Amino acid sequence: ANIKGSYKENSIGKPLDGMTVEIWDEKKKKLPPNTIGEIVISGTTVMAGYFDSEDSGVYTDKKGRRWVLSGDLGYMDSEGYIYITGRKKSVIVLNNGKNVFPEEIEEYLENVSVIEEVVVVGDENKETGVVSVVALVYPNHDECEKLGLLEDEIKRAACRCEERAYLLHTLLHIGFLTVEYNSAESHVLD
C-alpha cells in the first residue's frame, strides 16, 4: 500500500505489515527484483480460499505456508515496491514467445484524444496459426469531428507513439467498433 511518505510513481506501494508479497514464475519459484511474474500474497489476513473451492487460487508450500495466487502479473523493485503490469489470463503470447500485456497498450491508447475506449486482444489466424495483437477502438466522435479526422487518420494518430513507441511495435491492426441502434456491432478496418 502507498503509505504517507512512501510513494513511487506507478507503484501500488509496499506490502503492509504482517503481509508477505513475492513474485513467482510458473513453477512457483520466487523471482529476482524487476522480473515480471505472478504476484502472490501470504499473511494472517489473506483469504483461506474461494467459496466452494478452497484450493482454487491458493497454494500451500512445503513449509505449510498458504499463498494466495492473485492472477495479477507484476514485479517488485529492489526497494520492495510492487508494480502491476497486467492479468495472467490476458497476456497475449506471440509466435516468437514474446509476452504482450494488453493493459499497457490500452493505457497508452486511452490517452490519445481521438480515442474514447479501447480493448486490446490477441487474434490467431486459423489458417496460419500466427498470433497478432489487435486494438479495437471506439473513437471519440466529438474530438474527431472537431479535428476533422477520418478513420484512417485516427489510426495514424494512435500509432504516433512518441513516449511509448515500444508498446506498439507488435500492434499489427487497429480496428474500429461501431455502435448502432443500441446493439454492439464490430468490424475491423485494415
Side-chain angles (χ1 to χ4, degrees), residues 5-186:
S6 177
Y7 172 79
K8 269 192 165 180
E9 181 92 20
N10 298 320
S11 169
I12 61 168
K14 292 183 175 184
L16 295 171
D17 289 339
M19 306 292 291
T20 301
V21 176
E22 293 182 356
I23 309 300
W24 287 1
D25 66 13
E26 291 177 4
K27 296 178 183 172
K28 298 182 176 45
K29 302 291 183 214
K30 185 177 178 180
L31 292 169
N34 301 310
T35 305
I36 294 176
E38 184 171 10
I39 299 170
V40 298
I41 307 106
S42 183
T44 57
T45 60
V46 298
M47 67 181 191
Y50 290 99
F51 181 69
D52 284 341
S53 183
E54 289 193 15
D55 291 336
S56 177
V58 178
Y59 171 76
T60 304
D61 65 19
K62 293 177 183 174
K63 297 177 183 175
R65 188 171 196 176
R66 292 175 65 85
W67 294 88
V68 173
L69 309 174
S70 70
D72 291 318
L73 293 175
Y75 64 94
M76 187 180 296
D77 69 16
S78 59
E79 296 176 64
Y81 287 87
I82 304 163
Y83 300 81
I84 297 176
T85 58
R87 292 285 299 157
K88 191 174 178 179
K89 290 181 180 179
S90 67
V91 172
I92 301 166
V93 181
L94 300 178
N95 296 77
N96 64 4
K98 178 177 172 49
N99 291 334
V100 177
F101 301 98
E103 294 87 353
E104 284 186 329
I105 298 171
E106 290 167 355
E107 181 182 342
Y108 173 79
L109 291 175
E110 285 170 351
N111 290 311
V112 175
S113 66
V114 295
I115 295 175
E116 184 74 29
E117 293 182 55
V118 63
V119 63
V120 174
V121 296
D123 183 38
E124 183 175 354
N125 182 309
K126 293 188 185 341
E127 292 178 20
T128 64
V130 173
V131 176
S132 60
V133 179
V134 179
L136 298 173
V137 171
Y138 183 76
N140 178 332
H141 293 290
D142 292 338
E143 188 71 16
C144 292
E145 189 174 313
K146 186 168 71 175
L147 297 171
L149 295 179
L150 302 173
E151 286 184 348
D152 61 331
E153 294 169 313
I154 297 168
K155 282 187 194 180
R156 283 195 294 276
C159 287
R160 258 185 247 120
C161 309
E162 293 174 19
E163 49 182 88
R164 291 203 188 169
Y166 71 94
L167 290 177
L168 295 181
H169 76 278
T170 56
L171 186 64
L172 303 178
H173 303 287
I174 295 181
F176 290 89
L177 298 176
T178 58
V179 178
E180 299 175 5
Y181 309 107
N182 289 332
S183 68
E185 175 187 332
S186 67

